[in-house]
Amino acid sequence: MSSYLLCAPDEAEAAGRLAQAAGLSLLRYQRHQFPDEELKLTLPFADGDAPKQLVLYRSLDRPNDKLVELILLAKHLRGAGVQQLLLVAPYLAYMRQDIAFHPGEIVSQKIIGGLLADLFDAVITVDPHLHRIDHLGEAIPKGDAIALSGAPRLADLIAEKCQQPLLVGPDAESRQWVELAAARIGCDFGVCSKVRHGDKDVVIALPDMPVTGRQLVLMDDVASSGRTLAGACQQLLATGAASVDVAVTHALFAGDALSAIQTAGVRHVWSTDCIAHPSNAISMAPLLAEALAPLLAK
Ligand SMILES: O=P(O)(O)OC[C@H]1O[C@@H](O)[C@H](O)[C@@H]1O
């Protein structure tokens, strides 16, 4: 069976790298946004020519528009006869609200996870923000749910770029990535603690370890407002670090995030291509292709 990878024009670069790594033919749909923000989507094939097996590539940064897009695409494609519909969403949105922190809050992880499970036979993503559950399958309760990690590739890049780096996780949740990366490249690591008081208001406490004169690399899953990284960087430099670089899987960098971390003194920012951003230094295509292969053979 010939297999196809369908993407939006704005993600054709990363999708193209995946298509090449996975041996898929790349197709693009057209996307028009009307002045009132409604979407018109146009597929590159007529209904009668829809493939039986299709991989859709859509990273879910800017999620509110893109989720509507996924609903329109998946519902239409099923109606046109696609039997196996797989989603590669390198960044998976709405995973952070996994419990009601306060009465009345809607647990969006469950709802968005359930929606994707209804629409797709499989979802592949990278470092989803799951902190109170162990498996992506708990958030996406039907079909295959595969979570890859960008940390090993970021670790290899850090080893290439820095001599004797010291890895730092900016909060307790980041321990999983710094610990793995430090073991992989044989270096030390420490983990900060963080209290968040608001979207852009975080207080970071450094771990008890000597940083004077060291090349530090802050590692995290996602940079959103950038305040977590900025807060950690500021303190590390104030305590004598020689330099602070940043390695993140998901370069959301919303609003003034990038300038906030640059003002704090961050030297280099490296990210994976899960979200297209000028800081992208790692392609996740080989790992995504590896994860897709057994699903495409089903
Ligand atoms: O501080 P910003 O960049 O807004 O948010 C990103 C941080 O918030 C956490 O959920 C992430 O794991 C990361 O540590």
Side-chain angles (χ1 to χ4, degrees), residues 115-171:
L115 172 73
L116 296 179
D118 287 341
L119 295 176
F120 297 96
D121 298 302
V123 176
I124 301 180
T125 189
V126 183
D127 291 330
H129 196 92
L130 308 176
H131 291 315
R132 275 157 286 262
I133 61 174
D134 291 334
H135 303 291
L136 183 60
E138 292 173 53
I140 300 182
K142 271 192 290 177
D144 292 294
I146 299 173
L148 308 174
S149 179
R153 300 292 326 278
L154 289 170
D156 295 345
L157 181 84
I158 293 166
E160 244 174 63
K161 303 272 187 193
C162 310
Q163 284 187 343
Q164 295 186 312
L166 174 57
L167 304 186
V168 180
D171 58 20

Side-chain angles (χ1 to χ4, degrees), residues 96 129 131 170-171 173-174 177 194 196 198-202 219-230 252-254 257 261:
R96 294 200 237 182
H129 196 92
H131 291 315
D171 58 20
E173 293 165 342
S174 63
W177 300 293
K194 174 176 93 180
R196 185 181 285 280
D199 291 346
K200 292 187 174 182
D201 184 6
V202 295
M219 279 191 89
D220 210 351
D221 60 337
V222 47
S224 179
S225 74
R227 272 24 185 215
T228 297
L229 294 170
L252 278 175
F253 291 114
I261 68 165

